[in-house]
Amino acid sequence: MSAIASEVLISRLADWGVDTVFGIPGDGINGIMEGLRRNADRVKFVLVHHEEAAAFMATAYAKATGRIGVCLATSGPGGIHLANGLYDAKLDHAPVLAITGMQETSVLGTGYQQEVHLDRLYEDVSVYDQMVVNPAQLPALVDIAIRTAYARRGVAHLTVPNDIQVAEAGEQPYQLVAPAKPPATAPVYLPPPVRPRDSDVRVAADVLNAGGRTAILAGIGARGAGRLVEQLAVALDAPIIKTLSGKMVVGDDSPYTTGGIGLLGTGPSEELVEEIDTLVMLGTNFPYTKHLPEPGKVKVVQVEIEPTRAGLRLPTEVPLIGDVGATLEALLPLVTPRAERPLLERYQAKMRDWREKMAALENPERDPIAPQYLASLLDRLATDDAILTCDSGTIATWAARHWHIRGGREFYLSGNLATMAPALPYAIAVQHAYPDRQVIAYPGDGGFAMLMAEFHTAARYHLPIKVVINNNNSLGQILWEQMVLGYPEHGVRFGNPHPDYAAWARGCGGFGVHVTKAGDLETALREAFARPGPALVDVAVDPNEPPMPGKVKYEQAKHFAEAFLRGQPHKASIATTLFKDKIAQLKES
């Protein structure tokens, strides 16, 4: 049997260390599927139920491993379905390769069935985007695509017409008298130097040594440099604020962190931002500028690997272009350690008070179940190397505040895109990458419903993921956003009948249980966590529990009150929930 171009494509992926491809077959990629079959000993194909999930899985695989994530979709609608997950990769700078099918080259431009020019569709989402028109282009295009995805930390895309997929490997169909010779590339990526210039490091040290009240804002770009970040915190008397994506840079049990920032952050972090005169930004492009200091009121030193992002959010005295770890190794010897640490000590006291307030909300006696209690049980029962994948919405608030990074724990969600639905496919991909670790998906009911078919994918591959649904039977985040804007709620509660997600899990061959009473919750979670295969716990939580900001501003409170006066239909139950929260916190104080 002669080798076909798709064999070269898949074999080259394997040469790059790709061991998993997520996707769905279709008539537009039958040749590529044959290439996968012929290379099944080197590359595993994971069959999913929706292409959007395949793109989320590739993104999560890349985020969790640092290696290229690969997804595959057929021509036309299959490729279109990938787009949301690919934008998740783009906005969070994850290296992903999307491979799609295309109609035969002989019919392109004729309005043929499912003729969607995916290379044009992906122009905005991709850092490298090519249609393969000659079998001889492979494997060079694979090399360039993957190398570009790594170098530019984004999405690369190759679309391959049907006739090219099954053509003889290396064939050049349009031979000239002296045909051009394809480049001889190699499946190798060499990262560029990541240490900034010594002169810039010295200037940065001067700025930091002159600072009075300094804070550190650490993002996911500082992952792996947590020890150095803490050393800088001690030297500068600088508390560490963490972005949500950067939650695992340092542990939540670190004595130097004030936790998160923004609507999902902590009160102490918000207060710290208002007090400082110097800010060190490490590996973050935090987009919510209203939660950052006023421009011009602070001196900023920023460490950023991508030059175009340096100084993007705040005027920056010293942009240090480089890797956070390598930069801190160069910077720390030049920093003059503070003799005393009054700022750290004061914010350590504030964080003790904040943690007591959060613990007061984790009340097992509440009915309906407090979502904070659910999140706290996940935190207490999970292993110290567990990986939590989170959806967007109110659950992100509960995870930010009640899921604590300690030991080897990790945390993943859709950061800058903040899309719904990734928690379940993220968990599946991460479990494929780390089969021996505990992986917990933590979606809301709205996000879970969008891609719930992928629980069957987990069952089919015998993946022991645990899915815990924070079910408030509504689009909870939108509900509260409408109220903060001063609008009565509209179109956010699903009502009756309630879907039976536990029955769906059992129908897929997994474990499924629905919990409505707080007293039953711990037993259900323990049973689910002990199961060898996939398990789902659907938890009915209080739909009237607000994800309050760490520090409520006057305008937010004003609009919230106006929404009540305009006829909020659930104002009595919401007021009761808020009253219970306040009583619980007063008991702890």
Side-chain angles (χ1 to χ4, degrees), residues 154-430:
V155 176
H157 171 232
L158 294 176
T159 189
V160 190
N162 280 337
D163 51 335
I164 303 298
Q165 294 173 30
V166 298
E168 185 175 336
E171 179 184 359
Q172 293 206 61
Y174 309 110
Q175 289 283 1
L176 303 174
V177 176
K181 185 178 180 181
T185 58
V188 176
Y189 171 67
L190 298 175
V194 292
R195 191 181 185 280
R197 292 178 299 224
D198 290 341
S199 58
D200 292 338
V201 174
R202 284 192 294 271
V203 174
D206 291 341
V207 171
L208 297 180
N209 288 332
R213 298 177 305 280
T214 303
I216 296 168
L217 177 60
I220 189 61
R223 183 182 182 184
R227 177 181 57 83
L228 296 170
V229 175
E230 288 187 316
Q231 289 178 15
L232 186 67
V234 172
L236 293 175
D237 182 32
I240 303 166
I241 304 169
K242 301 188 292 182
T243 68
L244 188 54
S245 294
K247 184 174 174 64
M248 57 189 164
V249 170
V250 299
D252 287 304
D253 54 359
S254 169
Y256 311 119
T257 183
T258 58
I261 188 174
L263 289 176
L264 282 62
T266 70
S269 288
E270 292 291 311
E271 294 175 20
L272 180 61
V273 166
E274 295 172 357
E275 180 177 356
I276 58 175
D277 58 31
T278 308
L279 178 65
V280 188
M281 299 178 70
L282 302 177
T284 179
N285 189 32
F286 184 74
Y288 304 105
T289 51
K290 67 181 179 180
H291 295 286
L292 295 174
E294 287 292 324
K297 290 188 176 181
V298 295
K299 300 287 188 181
V300 178
V301 172
Q302 183 176 6
V303 181
E304 172 58 61
I305 195 72
E306 170 51 56
T308 60
R309 293 197 294 265
L312 183 60
R313 305 302 179 192
L314 286 172
T316 303
E317 273 69 28
V318 189
L320 299 175
I321 306 306
D323 171 78
V324 171
T327 301
L328 291 183
E329 287 177 348
L331 178 63
L332 278 165
L334 303 179
V335 171
T336 303
R338 304 289 198 266
E340 297 179 340
R341 298 180 180 86
L343 198 64
L344 274 173
E345 291 172 2
R346 187 149 51 86
Y347 277 89
Q348 285 167 349
K350 288 178 181 288
M351 280 304 293
R352 285 193 292 270
D353 181 60
W354 172 264
R355 291 184 180 109
E356 288 175 0
K357 289 180 178 179
M358 292 300 101
L361 300 176
E362 300 167 355
N363 189 339
E365 305 301 323
R366 293 267 292 274
D367 181 27
I369 298 170
Q372 298 96 325
Y373 175 58
L374 169 59
S376 71
L377 271 181
L378 285 178
D379 180 63
R380 176 159 62 85
L381 299 178
T383 63
D384 280 352
D385 70 343
I387 301 172
L388 186 77
T389 64
C390 183
D391 223 319
S392 299
T394 57
I395 56 276
T397 300
W398 315 135
R401 294 176 178 169
H402 302 276
W403 170 260
H404 297 108
I405 298 298
R406 61 174 183 266
R409 283 186 174 181
E410 297 179 30
F411 174 76
Y412 298 99
L413 82 170
S414 174
N416 284 317
L417 186 61
T419 180
M420 293 176 68
L424 176 57
Y426 266 34
I428 290 171
V430 173

Side-chain angles (χ1 to χ4, degrees), residues 392-565:
S392 299
T394 57
I395 56 276
T397 300
W398 315 135
R401 294 176 178 169
H402 302 276
W403 170 260
H404 297 108
I405 298 298
R406 61 174 183 266
R409 283 186 174 181
E410 297 179 30
F411 174 76
Y412 298 99
L413 82 170
S414 174
N416 284 317
L417 186 61
T419 180
M420 293 176 68
L424 176 57
Y426 266 34
I428 290 171
V430 173
Q431 192 75 83
H432 271 289
Y434 300 111
D436 297 326
R437 293 180 66 176
Q438 184 182 58
V439 180
I440 304 168
Y442 181 47
D445 56 300
F448 178 77
M450 290 181 174
L451 290 173
M452 60 187 286
E454 302 308 335
F455 189 86
H456 180 252
T457 302
R460 198 170 65 250
Y461 287 98
H462 309 290
L463 297 175
I465 65 166
K466 313 306 172 191
V467 181
V468 181
I469 304 175
N470 184 88
N471 191 341
N472 55 20
N473 198 37
S474 66
L475 298 172
Q477 190 70 32
I478 306 305
L479 184 157
W480 298 107
E481 288 172 347
Q482 288 179 356
M483 292 183 66
V484 168
L485 289 170
Y487 305 150
E489 67 175 65
H490 177 70
V492 291
R493 300 200 189 237
F494 291 120
N496 293 316
H498 291 198
D500 192 341
Y501 298 125
W504 164 246
R506 294 191 297 270
C508 292
F511 171 83
V513 62
H514 181 58
V515 180
T516 59
K517 298 295 182 182
D520 300 329
L521 184 53
E522 181 169 347
T523 299
L525 288 175
R526 287 187 180 277
E527 184 175 1
F529 286 1
R531 292 277 173 154
L536 181 148
V537 182
D538 181 16
V539 186
V541 299
D542 189 349
N544 299 309
E545 182 71 41
M548 300 297 286
K551 186 175 181 180
V552 180
K553 293 182 169 53
Y554 170 75
E555 287 297 322
Q556 292 171 321
K558 176 185 173 184
H559 290 319
F560 191 85
E562 289 173 348
F564 265 58
L565 296 175

Side-chain angles (χ1 to χ4, degrees), residues 128-142:
Y128 183 82
D129 183 22
Q130 289 291 328
M131 181 166 67
V132 180
V133 295
N134 188 319
Q137 290 175 285
L138 298 167
L141 292 193
V142 176

Side-chain angles (χ1 to χ4, degrees), residues 2 32 185 359 464:
S2 60
I32 297 176
T185 58

